[in-house]
Amino acid sequence: MMDSNVQQVRLILKYTYGLVPIIAGLDKFTNLLTDWSHYVSPGLSDIVPLEAGAFMMVVGVIEIIAGVLVLVKPKIGALVVMAWLIAIALILVLSGTFIDVAVRDLVIAVGAFSLAKLLDSKPL
């Protein structure tokens, strides 16, 4: 019973951390969920040689790759997603903008780390 519960949690986390970055990454091209360019901090937009919309498309590609990586290599992908979320949170905290999003991303990073740890015990 315990093994089936653990397996179920692994699968739920795998598909969550695989599909959500893919969806969010694709949305960087359509802005259906939100206008992602608003999330680029002023300090970052000053040093990045792209307009906010173009920069977010690059971010979208990275997110899509990270999500696919979770689906094909879950442990490595989970660690990549965790690192990506921590990096986003640090950038937001250092810029002093969207602190609520930074905290949310750190909590989500804990979930990605948890997936990686669950995968230590038995491969999917």
Side-chain angles (χ1 to χ4, degrees):
M1 180 68 164
M2 180 68 148
D3 284 342
S4 68
N5 286 339
V6 171
Q7 182 65 11
Q8 185 177 23
V9 170
R10 282 188 195 129
L11 287 174
I12 290 168
L13 290 174
K14 175 185 172 183
Y15 287 108
T16 298
Y17 285 95
L19 295 176
V20 170
I22 292 170
I23 292 166
L26 289 172
D27 195 57
K28 301 299 189 293
F29 295 88
T30 63
N31 290 308
L32 294 174
L33 298 174
T34 189
D35 182 355
W36 293 99
S37 64
H38 289 125
Y39 288 96
V40 179
S41 69
L44 187 60
S45 65
D46 290 342
I47 59 173
V48 173
L50 298 170
E51 291 185 21
F55 175 71
M56 291 310 284
M57 287 182 186
V58 172
V59 168
V61 169
I62 294 167
E63 290 174 341
I64 292 166
I65 292 168
V68 169
L69 191 55
V70 171
L71 295 176
V72 297
K73 297 278 188 185
K75 182 166 182 176
I76 294 167
L79 294 173
V80 168
V81 168
M82 177 196 73
W84 179 249
L85 290 164
I86 291 170
I88 292 169
L90 288 174
I91 290 168
L92 292 174
V93 167
L94 292 173
S95 71
T97 59
F98 300 107
I99 302 302
D100 58 325
V101 175
V103 171
R104 180 206 63 201
D105 283 355
L106 289 173
V107 171
I108 297 169
V110 170
F113 177 75
S114 298
L115 172 58
K117 293 310 287 179
L118 278 171
L119 293 170
D120 279 342
S121 60
K122 186 176 177 186
L124 282 175

